[in-house]
């Protein structure tokens, strides 16, 4: 007897439809699985056998062959258990075959026959919808996530027995309620009001949020660099619906989503500096998204920038520029989106005391030179804003709280609105993403501002790339001020914001 069951294989951030065909015939008892399956899928034979028996079904003592087709798609992970088990049930006549036409099945089985949560429920549900299937059966914990896809009936079940009952004509469980994106990120996020002093750094944070500019914070230990960076998501605009779907899909496939519907907060990722290049941009024998993709539509925070290995930072160059990372392993190629806002933080010198004055800095000239060399790398070249973070004064530390995040965000939102009106039809969302041609076409300068910029360029302190970068930041400053044209003041400030300690110039 032959039975066919539909399921899906996750491939990068995409899904491919997979047929599980189960053939049972007379012969010595055996159970084999063919079709480019990895170790976890081959091991599923043991789980499926135990789960069937422990759920009160029969495990046929005959020759069972399961084929996962198409054979050229890699099948990875334990999510095929449920489809295999149901294939055996149908092929051995323990459940009717007809209802399987409408269902896709996805889930891991425990030996006792319970359904275990799996990664990638949203992507699987989108795949089922795309393939025109009407229903999806998966573990209950992932039902709310799958139910985000409209027009698909989702059955979240707890046990293989319940799946068997449903296929035998039982009542389906109620359609789970999907979480909807909220208008604004809810409470519980750290707020900018906690940060005292550091006026310049706070301003820079606002500019970075408003224009989508990458930012470097430099300051002595304990001045609040990490604190500031963590508060960035609280002043960014809320995720649009499509963005929230993308973030949820990525986090679910990476196994980081707990399955309660849509992720509505912008991600904040702060990988440790020992991270490898593939940990940062994605990789592995089964290409999985890296930190840069987990930070997609959110913030990637590289604390202690000078401690990151050169190859890791080099690997970030292409994703920073293109907004996606291409991972090639063997004959497989996956593309992961990486549109994040980069915040990097560093101490001014290896001991961290250089900016505190006096003779507290214990670094030698050689230490300082090495530190500068490590920083003046390819990454620094792609940062628009380089600002010092000063120690808050005693009065500031004891004083009233700083301006709260929601007030800053209101200004950021207004500036973003102006940008989206100007950038409509270009496919980009903010000033930080403008390429040279956009800058040329869309940034209008007051005559005095143009003279200033030309003079700075003529002095030789500015490269061609630096020139465009200054214009992008200046455009954001003008947007925050509600100005139609970029004025001289904006250009001056943008020049100052990227030239801190002369490093920006050196890098550009
Ligand atoms: N400007 C500030 N306002 C209020 N509290 C601050 C400020 N700066 C530092 N703190 C306090 O000090 C703690 C440490 O700050 P934080 O971790 O942000 O420092 P850092 O600059 O990242 O230091 P490091 O260079 O060692 O990483 C914060 O959790 C906070 O309690
Ligand atoms: Mg820190």
């Amino acid at each position: 007897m032959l039975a066919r069951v539909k399921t899906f294989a996750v491939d990068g951030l995409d899904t491919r439809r997979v047929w599980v065909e189960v053939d049972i015939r007379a012969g010595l008892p055996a159970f084999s699985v063919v079709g480019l399956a990895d170790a976890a899928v081959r091991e599923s034979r043991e789980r499926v056998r135990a789960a069937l028996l422990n759920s009160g079904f029969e495990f046929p003592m005959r020759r069972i062959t399961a084929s996962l087709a198409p054979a050229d798609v890699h099948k990875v992970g334990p999510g095929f258990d449920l489809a295999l088990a149901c294939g055996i049930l149908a092929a051995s006549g323990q459940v009717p075959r007809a209802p399987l036409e409408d269902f896709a099945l996805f889930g891991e089985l425990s030996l006792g026959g319970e359904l275990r949560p799996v990664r990638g429920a949203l992507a699987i549900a989108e795949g089922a919808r795309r393939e025109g299937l009407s229903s999806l059966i998966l573990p209950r914990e992932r039902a709310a996530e799958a139910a985000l896809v409209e027009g698909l009936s989702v059955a979240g079940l707890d046990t293989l027995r319940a799946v068997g009952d449903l296929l035998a004509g039982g009542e389906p469980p109620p359609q789970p309620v999907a979480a909807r994106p909220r208008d604004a990120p809810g409470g519980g996020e750290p707020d900018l009001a906690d940060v005292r002093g550091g006026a310049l750094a706070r301003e820079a944070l606002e500019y970075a949020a408003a224009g989508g500019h990458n930012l470097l914070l430099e300051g002595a230990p304990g001045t609040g660099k990490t604190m500031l960076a963590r508060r960035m998501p609280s002043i960014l605009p809320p995720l649009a619906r499509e963005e929230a779907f993308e973030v949820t899909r990525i986090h679910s496939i990476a196994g980081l989503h707990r399955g309660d519907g849509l992720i509505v907060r912008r991600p904040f990722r702060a990988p440790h500096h020992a991270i490898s290049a593939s940990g940062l941009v994605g990789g592995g024998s089964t290409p999985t998204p890296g930190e840069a993709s987990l930070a997609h539509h959110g913030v990637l925070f590289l604390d202690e920038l000078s401690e990151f290995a050169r190859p890791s930072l080099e690997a970030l160059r292409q994703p920073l520029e293109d907004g996606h990372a291409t991972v090639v392993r063997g004959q497989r190629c996956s593309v992961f989106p990486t549109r994040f806002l980069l915040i990097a933080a560093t101490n001014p010198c290896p001991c961290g005391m250089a900016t505190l004055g006096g003779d507290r800095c214990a670094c030698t000239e050689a230490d300082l030179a090495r530190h500068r060399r490590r920083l003046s790398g390819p990454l620094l070249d792609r940062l628009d804003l380089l600002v010092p973070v000063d120690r808050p004064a005693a009065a500031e530390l004891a004083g009233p709280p700083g301006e709260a995040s929601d007030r800053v965000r209101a200004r950021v939102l207004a500036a973003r609105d102006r940008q989206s009106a100007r950038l409509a039809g270009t496919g980009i969302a903010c000033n930080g993403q403008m390429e040279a041609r956009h800058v040329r076409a869309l940034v209008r300068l007051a005559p005095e501002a143009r003279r200033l910029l030309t003079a700075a360029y003529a002095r030789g302190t500015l490269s061609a790339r630096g020139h465009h970068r200054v214009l992008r930041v200046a455009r954001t400053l003008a947007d925050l001020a509600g100005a139609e044209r970029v004025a001289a003041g904006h250009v001056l400030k943008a020049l100052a914001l990227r030239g801190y300690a002369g490093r920006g110039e050196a890098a550009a």
Side-chain angles (χ1 to χ4, degrees), residues 157-175:
L157 297 172
D158 290 319
T159 61
L160 181 57
R161 185 80 242 176
V163 177
D165 291 345
L166 177 60
L167 293 176
E171 238 346 85
Q175 176 80 2

Side-chain angles (χ1 to χ4, degrees), residues 55-57 82 86 89 94-96 99 103 105 115 137 155 157-173:
S55 304
F57 292 111
L82 181 61
C86 291
L89 287 177
Q94 299 181 72
V95 299
F103 284 106
L105 297 125
L115 281 180
I137 301 180
L157 297 172
D158 290 319
T159 61
L160 181 57
R161 185 80 242 176
V163 177
D165 291 345
L166 177 60
L167 293 176
E171 238 346 85

